[in-house]
Amino acid sequence: MKFHSIFTLAIAALLLNTLFVSEAFGCACCAERGDYIESTSPFDSFIRDELSYLRTETADLFSDAGYPDNIIGISPVDDKYSINAFLQGGNWNFTVKDGSARTGTLRLTSPKKYVSFMVDQNPASEAIEPTLYKELRIEGSVLSSNGVFSTVGKKGVKYKLVLQGKGNRCLSANDFKTYIFRVSGSKADFTYFGKLGMKDAEAMQQPIDSAGTGIVSRPPAT
């Protein structure tokens, strides 16, 4: 009888431990109150595939009190743009078309890593699982430029792409709704920003060429 009781308790403990472990793994993406996370990771196939679901929906050139005189590297400056950013071979291409159909392309180094930043913006809230503000940041160099970007050059010119959104601790393309793309250097100083959307199923089946509107040129690997 005593052996049976010990055996029963052991089974109960095992089941309870399994339940706790399952819950822990099942909640790996759950956000916690007071979360503040900043990490650097390799730009691997997972993040590449996630970004391949995104497309640029709008594009605005950042302007302030000094506009347009403080815009360096775009000639001529316009107030209406469409943007296409995509992967081709080992490089990123960033192409714009202005309201007069003038184009310009920046050929960029392919990212080797990315920074993920997440924070609970209202840690005083009583919410059990808060929604985190998040950013995915990518940086690199400009390899070449043409068209309206022809004066940018390539020596010492850097780019930074920031995707912004909200969600839990896990990275998902659907979380990111806006972007900021900044180019800076001795002959460049400008920033584009706008809205992001998700590609539809049909668009994901086809590569995106230089006239497209997607983030990368091919659908995720299956």
Side-chain angles (χ1 to χ4, degrees):
M1 186 71 176
K2 185 176 181 181
F3 175 79
H4 177 73
S5 298
I6 293 175
F7 180 76
T8 302
L9 287 173
I11 292 296
L14 179 61
L15 290 174
L16 188 60
N17 182 66
T18 301
L19 176 62
F20 285 153
V21 171
S22 297
E23 288 182 350
F25 277 103
C27 206
C29 290
C30 293
E32 303 291 345
R33 288 177 56 194
D35 259 342
Y36 183 98
I37 304 167
E38 188 168 2
S39 61
T40 301
S41 304
F43 192 83
D44 56 16
S45 59
F46 166 76
I47 198 66
R48 179 188 291 261
D49 288 351
E50 283 300 308
L51 292 186
S52 71
Y53 285 99
L54 292 171
R55 60 184 174 85
T56 50
E57 289 191 339
T58 64
D60 292 285
L61 181 62
F62 175 77
S63 60
D64 56 17
Y67 179 85
D69 296 332
N70 59 354
I71 302 296
I72 303 172
I74 304 177
S75 182
V77 176
D78 203 341
D79 58 1
K80 182 179 181 181
Y81 291 93
S82 61
I83 288 185
N84 172 40
F86 64 101
L87 283 172
Q88 188 174 49
N91 300 314
W92 288 73
N93 283 352
F94 182 89
T95 300
V96 302
K97 179 183 291 185
D98 66 19
S100 299
R102 294 179 292 249
T103 63
T105 296
L106 298 173
R107 192 165 66 96
L108 314 171
T109 56
S110 181
K112 303 298 183 184
K113 60 184 180 179
Y114 68 93
V115 174
S116 175
F117 171 75
M118 307 180 192
V119 64
D120 176 14
Q121 292 183 299
N122 188 18
S125 169
E126 297 298 325
I128 297 175
E129 184 182 347
T131 298
L132 304 180
Y133 168 75
K134 57 173 60 178
E135 292 183 355
L136 191 151
R137 306 167 185 167
I138 299 169
E139 298 185 47
S141 302
V142 173
L143 293 173
S144 64
S145 59
N146 62 37
V148 299
F149 297 133
S150 59
T151 62
V152 167
K154 58 182 180 179
K155 187 175 182 179
V157 183
K158 305 293 185 181
Y159 77 88
K160 184 171 186 176
L161 174 65
V162 180
L163 308 184
Q164 303 166 307
K166 293 183 177 181
N168 57 25
R169 285 185 175 184
C170 290
L171 288 175
S172 172
N174 194 47
D175 291 338
F176 298 105
K177 307 301 182 184
T178 57
Y179 71 91
I180 295 173
F181 179 78
R182 177 168 175 76
V183 177
S184 59
S186 60
K187 296 182 179 181
D189 189 3
F190 57 85
T191 301
Y192 287 97
F193 64 95
K195 296 179 181 179
L196 295 169
M198 298 291 288
K199 295 179 186 177
D200 56 37
E202 182 178 352
M204 289 301 297
Q205 302 305 312
Q206 300 295 329
I208 301 297
D209 61 20
S210 59
T213 56
I215 288 286
V216 296
S217 62
R218 296 191 180 278
T222 56

